[in-house]
Amino acid sequence: MALKKVVVAGATGLVGSAALRHFGASGGCELVALSRRKPRNLYGARYVQADLTDAAQCARTAPELQGATHLIYAALYEAPNLVDGWRDQSQIRTNDEMLRNLMAVLEPVAPSLKHLALLQGTKAYGVHVRPLAVPAREGRSEMYEQPNFYWAQENFLRELQQGKPWHWSILRPVLIVGEAMGGAMDLIPAIGVYAAMLREEGRALDYPGGAARVSQAVDVDLLARAIAWAGEAEAARNEAFNVTNGDVLTWQNVWPAIAEALDMKPGAAIPLSLAATYPQWIALWDALRRKHDLIAPGLEAFVGLSFQYADYTMRHGHTEPGPPSIVSTVKINRAGFTEMMDTEDMFRKWFRQARSSRLLP
């Protein structure tokens, strides 16, 4: 009999799929994938279909959640206008309701619940509205001034957990890099499609973003290992942690590594809004899918809102260097999670993986 039962909510997303991959490979647990759509790879998990915005659908999942010991909450609703939606009250309410709907079902059928991992990010420090106080640290109170669904979810969990035997941990990753399809913030499909368009024209990989900003990233597999660590570590009980690769980047400096992984030469800095331009690529992408026998779907299903996110994170339209976006990882290191990864190697890893799995040409 499995020692624990791990439920991954948001199993089709970047973090959810990485969590399935990690726990599926680790063994020793029963694994449940909870999402609206069936994940492309279940990694041994049992799939349970549910739309978390629908309380009645959530209620029907109760038998499948029976006996859960760990919940990884990686579900996320994003508004169609991605960046503006981060401060939209409707987006905040929807994400708050999703977590409440799930916990209303799971907690009564999971008396042995041990841990809940909740994902946030650097919007906790207001990165989307103002320069960060560098380095951003977990305990600073000024972050609560900004409207954000994080606080609705966090306050709900803090109140719900009072006097209970289970505990929560909040993970605040920076820019997450990994392999997924149709997400709101998945850069591998967005940049990979852009690169494929240039390659078809025989061009080098031009950099489409704006002026540089020093920032950070995290490999999604490293993040999954941090989530697993938090589920067992005494030091992670009811604590929030920043998670990064451990180094820093500017897009201009990692661009040659990306070009190398795509078998291209790095090109010039030629500003281009990927979100505004991609409609011109839809037909050509379909032709490339046929030509290279790709398993990737049509362009919008493949990339989702991530062209918008690529423009945002690569600072399209900015002509002056941006303020650094750096968080401290001292807290998680002192608590016992000390893994690191070279960010250039991370980009090489995921672009090569996307090509070898026939998501990209």
Side-chain angles (χ1 to χ4, degrees), residues 279-340:
Q280 303 172 25
W281 301 335
I282 292 174
L284 180 54
W285 177 248
D286 285 337
L288 288 175
R289 290 169 58 213
R290 294 188 294 270
K291 177 181 176 181
H292 296 279
D293 190 28
L294 301 182
I295 63 171
L299 189 57
E300 291 182 321
F302 183 39
V303 181
L305 300 177
S306 296
F307 283 129
Q308 293 183 47
Y309 187 59
D311 282 351
Y312 167 79
T313 193
M314 291 192 289
R315 306 187 73 245
H316 172 72
H318 291 270
T319 57
E320 297 294 330
S325 179
I326 306 294
V327 304
S328 171
T329 55
V330 169
K331 183 179 178 180
I332 196 170
N333 294 160
R334 286 178 173 170
F337 186 81
T338 58
E339 285 200 45
M340 295 184 289

Side-chain angles (χ1 to χ4, degrees), residues 25-75:
S26 299
C29 70
E30 183 181 350
L31 193 55
V32 176
L34 188 66
S35 54
R36 289 183 297 116
R37 296 174 289 109
K38 187 174 182 178
R40 184 164 53 95
N41 194 328
L42 286 167
Y43 301 100
R46 182 172 70 259
Y47 172 57
V48 177
Q49 194 279 332
D51 181 343
L52 299 185
T53 65
D54 187 326
Q57 279 197 37
C58 282
R60 290 194 289 271
T61 69
E64 302 289 350
L65 306 182
Q66 184 84 34
T69 60
H70 292 69
L71 170 64
I72 298 168
Y73 191 84

